[in-house]
Amino acid sequence: MAELTLLLPVLVVGFAVCGVVVAMLTPGRRPLLRMVQVVVVLGVLVIGFFAVRGTVDGYPGDSGLCGPDNVPPWWPWWLPA
């Protein structure tokens, strides 16, 4: 649990910086279009993080249903694991 406590603030700040960078790289566009681009980039980062990291060991949300590779049976084949 301590690992998640230390990792989560770093992720939030890092993803926020990425969102600001993406917004700054798209100046002059409509606000809604800029927001969609930021949300898409952040979504890709979050999915990529959880595809690589998975559930933190001992986290209360870990159901124990995943095998030793930490990939649930329903995980889509097109997402990296």
Side-chain angles (χ1 to χ4, degrees):
M1 193 66 166
E3 178 185 358
L4 183 63
T5 304
L6 297 174
L7 182 63
L8 201 54
V10 174
L11 283 176
V12 169
V13 171
F15 286 5
V17 168
C18 288
V20 170
V21 168
V22 170
M24 298 301 285
L25 289 175
T26 57
R29 296 202 178 158
R30 294 184 181 189
L32 183 60
L33 182 59
R34 290 175 73 181
M35 183 185 69
V36 167
Q37 290 173 336
V38 169
V39 169
V40 167
V41 168
L42 291 178
V44 167
L45 287 173
V46 168
I47 289 174
F49 171 76
F50 281 106
V52 171
R53 181 65 181 99
T55 305
V56 180
D57 188 32
Y59 184 69
D62 186 5
S63 63
L65 298 176
C66 298
D69 58 356
N70 202 24
V71 179
W74 51 264
W75 192 259
W77 62 268
W78 50 271
L79 282 175

